[in-house]
Every structure is written in C-alpha cells, then in structure tokens.
Amino acid sequence: MTVILTTSPGFGKHNDVASKLSELGWELIRCVDTTKADGGVSEHIERADYIVVGLVPVTAKTLKQGKNLKAVLKHGVGVDNIDIPACSKAGLPVLNTPGANADAVAELAIGMMFALARNIIVGHNSVVSGGWNRTVGTQIGGKTLGIVGLGNIGKSLALKARSLGMNVIAQDAYPDTAFANANGIEFVDIDSLLARSDYVSLHIFGGAENTAFMDAAKLARMKPHACLLNLARGEVVDLDALADALANNRLGGAGIDAYVVEPPEISHPIFAHPRVVFTPHTGADTSEALANVGLMNIADIEGLMRGEHPKRVLNPQVFGG
C-alpha cells in the first residue's frame, strides 16, 4: 500500500480529494500535532512513500529518517521550508502546485483592502459591544494598488483590482510585459511603487534573501495613509518597523496573513493596533483551492508512480539526462 504522510491540515479533507485518496486505496498519515516541533513527522516518516508538505520544514534530517521516500510535494506554492538541495542530494524530486490557490489568496487580499478601507473590523466590534461608531471610510475604486511579485497570485489580484476600478502598478524580477500590457498594468521599480501606491500587496517568496524585505527604510517611502498587505511569508516584513510606523501615523494600516512563528506571539505591539487586520495564514484556505492543490499533488504522485517526470518538478536534475 502507498503511504502518504502530510503536514498539511487541509490535504485530503475537501471536495474530491478525500474520495480520490479512498479510490486509490492509499494510506494517509496526518502529522499536525502542534505540541510537537515536527508535528509528529519523526514518528511516522519511516513508513512514508511520499510526503505532502504543509508548514513543517523538510530538512536533511527528515530525509535521512524517511528511508522509503520517493518524492517531496508541497501542498501549495512556497517551498522555502523545503531543503531542496538536500532533496536533490537524496535523489528526491520536489514538486509544488503553482496557480492552484492563486484566486483564493487574491480574494483574501481584496477582502483585506475592503476591511481596511471601510473599517469593517472596527464597525463590527462597535455594534456587538453595544456601540454605534459610524466611522467614515474610503473607496478603493480609483486608488493605486502596488503588487510586489506579479506571479500567479499577483496576476489574479491585478485582474480583480482592475475590475474594481483600481490602478495597478507592479514590481517583479521577471516581468511579464505581455500580461501587463494587455491588462493596463505598469511595471515600476520598488521605490516608485512604494511612493505611488495607496495599497501595497506582497506576493514574494520567503527565505533568507527576502527577510525583512519591507524594512523601516522601505516603509518610510510609503504614503502616510497607505496600507501594507502581507499574504506572502512572515519574514518578509519587519514587524518592529511596521508597528513603529503605525504607532507614529506614518502608515495608514496593514493586513497580515503570514507570521514568522505560527501561531504568533501576540504580546508584540502590532497585535494591539486598531488599524491592522489579522488572519491565521488562511490565504489559500478555500474548499475550492484546497481541492485544486490536493488533486494536483495526487496527479503528480500518480505520474511519478508511472515513471513519468511531472512538469512541476523544481529539481529536474534528479531524473538525470
């Protein structure tokens, strides 16, 4: 029997994914015990043929314990918590699911913009506490959205924002000029993007190269009323600098979905600020997105079992040739 170990709370639970796993007769072991540093992976990894990765890191130690592993698959897109060089050294292909959850993350970014623009959280708290605080908000139509990282998620967000009447500018290391030209999007450098945007939405990879990408210097380049959205990885924003900018009214607000440590340590002053909207890393958590991602994971495993080389592999050198 094929054994799949997953550290994703959502893999195999939604729509057609659970029935597909049952149809295939695969055993699924879910390791998401938050009281254990590795979610319980070390207790079961020896039996696993494939690991479907959530937020628990896959390290060289993990691979050494997983003597039967044949591939490492990400239940999502970001692979900064997978040691790809170690996987390559072990001869294990690494695969992710680009585009499968793009619409879900983009929709949450839109939701955060509306929440900040119309003070939805403040209004909700006022009503349920017996108050009637009618705060005046702003409309997002006509505002400028700056997207840092115009990949699958950034493109989905850009199209949604354009349909709402927003102006969209973007910065990307590998700009898709054809897409931008076709959809009225302007590529600019990061300094121009920060200076011009009313909302800045981050959609870049995490890891060492992007740690504190949004630091005090970059935050200082933003408009005093502008809002920052982080639906990428926690480390890409310097939370101390962000809290300071908000406390001193150098920034209008923020929306945060990703944290360096999850759950985060809420003693940090950012969590007491009234102009910040928080979500528990749920950008990709819609039933539709989870089904898309899970079915892509399954399709890749089936392909590997047939001896195929799936196109989404991130280290194709493991196949040789």
Side-chain angles (χ1 to χ4, degrees), residues 47-218:
R47 296 185 53 229
D49 295 298
Y50 300 90
I51 180 168
V52 178
V53 184
L55 294 175
V56 175
V58 171
T59 64
K61 180 181 177 181
T62 311
L63 303 178
K64 186 176 181 180
Q65 294 173 325
K67 301 182 185 301
N68 294 319
L69 282 178
K70 300 169 182 65
V72 176
L73 302 97
K74 176 69 177 186
H75 190 247
V77 181
V79 291
D80 45 285
N81 65 340
I82 298 174
D83 188 336
I84 296 179
C87 291
S88 298
K89 185 177 180 179
L92 298 175
V94 178
L95 304 98
N96 65 349
T97 59
N101 56 22
D103 286 343
V105 179
E107 286 186 6
L108 182 58
I110 293 289
M112 283 183 167
M113 283 194 285
F114 277 122
L116 291 164
R118 298 304 303 272
N119 304 301
I120 290 174
I121 307 300
V122 173
H124 168 86
N125 290 337
S126 173
V127 173
V128 299
S129 63
W132 198 249
N133 182 15
R134 297 179 61 182
T135 56
V136 176
T138 61
Q139 296 175 200
I140 66 173
K143 302 298 189 300
T144 296
L145 168 64
I147 301 176
V148 183
L150 199 69
N152 289 311
I153 295 171
K155 287 176 180 176
S156 177
L157 174 58
L159 294 177
K160 290 171 173 53
R162 290 286 291 151
S163 72
L164 291 167
M166 299 189 79
N167 304 309
V168 177
I169 57 179
Q171 186 270 334
D172 193 277
Y174 305 97
D176 185 341
T177 54
F179 175 86
N181 292 338
N183 294 286
I185 299 163
E186 180 186 359
F187 278 114
V188 298
D189 62 37
I190 189 64
D191 288 343
S192 295
L193 183 145
L194 296 174
R196 291 170 55 185
S197 298
D198 301 296
Y199 295 88
V200 173
S201 194
L202 305 175
H203 300 284
I204 54 178
F205 289 113
E209 64 185 46
N210 282 329
T211 296
F213 174 84
M214 287 300 299
D215 56 12
K218 285 193 177 74

Side-chain angles (χ1 to χ4, degrees), residues 229-247:
L229 309 179
N230 182 18
L231 293 96
R233 287 290 185 264
E235 64 266 23
V236 305
V237 175
D238 182 338
L239 274 194
D240 292 337
L242 178 59
D244 183 69
L246 289 164

Side-chain angles (χ1 to χ4, degrees), residues 238-261:
D238 182 338
L239 274 194
D240 292 337
L242 178 59
D244 183 69
L246 289 164
N248 289 284
N249 294 316
R250 297 194 304 270
L251 205 64
I256 302 176
D257 184 52
Y259 312 85
V260 174
V261 177

